[in-house]
Amino acid sequence: MDDPKKRLLIADLEAQFIIIRDIDKKIKQRADSLNPEDEILLESIAYQIHNIYGASEELLQIVAKYFENNISDASQWHHLLLKRMTVEVPDIRPAFLDSQTYALLNSLRGFRHFFRHGYGTTIDYQQLQPNLEKALNLLPELTTCFEKFSRQLQTRTER
């Protein structure tokens, strides 16, 4: 990849992945001692699920900002950012997300919304468990997407 700006983009994405990996590690540590009766642990896991979604969204924002893909509808920008990252922009950038990773992130986006706006709500184990499973699957999925994106970006640069 000869373009210094693209090397900077990849470096920024890799730096964001360090944050995502750290959060993933925290989720795994907490999941290992998961107890449906431990309200504090459930809240801690919910917080980390919220964090991994937010860090993943920041990863996508790095891509969007690099390619100047501004989202004008502020009321739906979280959803629109995810959708936009599934789309290849011909002669500009490859898609970043595949449909499976999009679905995973979109579901976690819903949980993040609940977590951020569910003031005074107790975290329910039955609701947390499927979101925990999704969060545990996110890092490998995102990594695959990033590797494919990087390869395709490299190929475009070499043309």
Side-chain angles (χ1 to χ4, degrees), residues 101-113:
T101 309
Y102 164 80
L104 197 58
L105 280 167
N106 197 42
S107 181
L108 289 172
R109 180 179 65 87
F111 181 80
R112 175 204 156 272
H113 181 83

Side-chain angles (χ1 to χ4, degrees), residues 133-151:
E133 292 302 317
K134 291 171 187 170
L136 290 169
N137 291 321
L138 183 58
L139 180 60
E141 295 288 332
L142 267 180
T143 301
T144 300
C145 289
F146 171 64
E147 290 169 352
K148 182 178 179 183
F149 176 81
S150 296
R151 281 191 309 273

Side-chain angles (χ1 to χ4, degrees), residues 27-44:
I27 291 171
K28 287 176 180 168
Q29 289 170 340
R30 286 158 179 78
D32 285 344
S33 58
L34 183 59
N35 174 355
E37 304 301 318
D38 186 344
E39 190 174 311
I40 293 171
L41 182 58
L42 296 178
E43 288 175 358
S44 178

Side-chain angles (χ1 to χ4, degrees), residues 6-159:
K6 287 185 181 172
R7 283 198 306 265
L8 180 59
L9 168 66
I10 297 301
D12 286 346
L13 293 173
E14 287 172 347
Q16 187 64 25
F17 260 103
I18 291 170
I19 295 168
I20 293 168
R21 281 188 207 98
D22 286 346
I23 298 167
D24 181 71
K25 184 178 178 182
K26 290 176 185 177
I27 291 171
K28 287 176 180 168
Q29 289 170 340
R30 286 158 179 78
D32 285 344
S33 58
L34 183 59
N35 174 355
E37 304 301 318
D38 186 344
E39 190 174 311
I40 293 171
L41 182 58
L42 296 178
E43 288 175 358
S44 178
I45 291 170
Y47 178 67
Q48 293 306 326
I49 293 170
H50 164 273
N51 288 347
I52 202 163
Y53 175 81
S56 299
E57 193 174 79
E58 286 180 30
L59 181 81
L60 302 178
Q61 285 177 313
I62 292 168
V63 174
K65 286 177 184 174
Y66 177 84
F67 293 101
E68 299 185 58
N69 291 333
N70 297 320
I71 305 225
S72 57
D73 186 349
S75 67
Q76 295 188 32
W77 79 268
H78 298 280
H79 171 70
L80 294 174
L81 176 65
L82 291 181
K83 288 298 279 184
R84 180 155 301 161
M85 291 298 113
T86 66
V87 176
E88 175 182 2
V89 182
D91 299 323
I92 296 179
R93 67 159 175 80
F96 190 92
L97 296 176
D98 59 30
S99 60
Q100 183 174 330
T101 309
Y102 164 80
L104 197 58
L105 280 167
N106 197 42
S107 181
L108 289 172
R109 180 179 65 87
F111 181 80
R112 175 204 156 272
H113 181 83
F114 161 77
F115 183 81
R116 285 183 66 118
H117 301 287
Y119 308 113
T121 303
T122 301
I123 301 297
D124 178 55
Y125 174 77
Q126 299 301 322
Q127 183 181 22
L128 182 71
Q129 184 59 38
N131 288 290
L132 174 58
E133 292 302 317
K134 291 171 187 170
L136 290 169
N137 291 321
L138 183 58
L139 180 60
E141 295 288 332
L142 267 180
T143 301
T144 300
C145 289
F146 171 64
E147 290 169 352
K148 182 178 179 183
F149 176 81
S150 296
R151 281 191 309 273
Q152 290 177 333
L153 206 55
Q154 174 74 28
T155 302
R156 287 170 191 246
T157 302
E158 292 171 354
R159 287 185 197 167

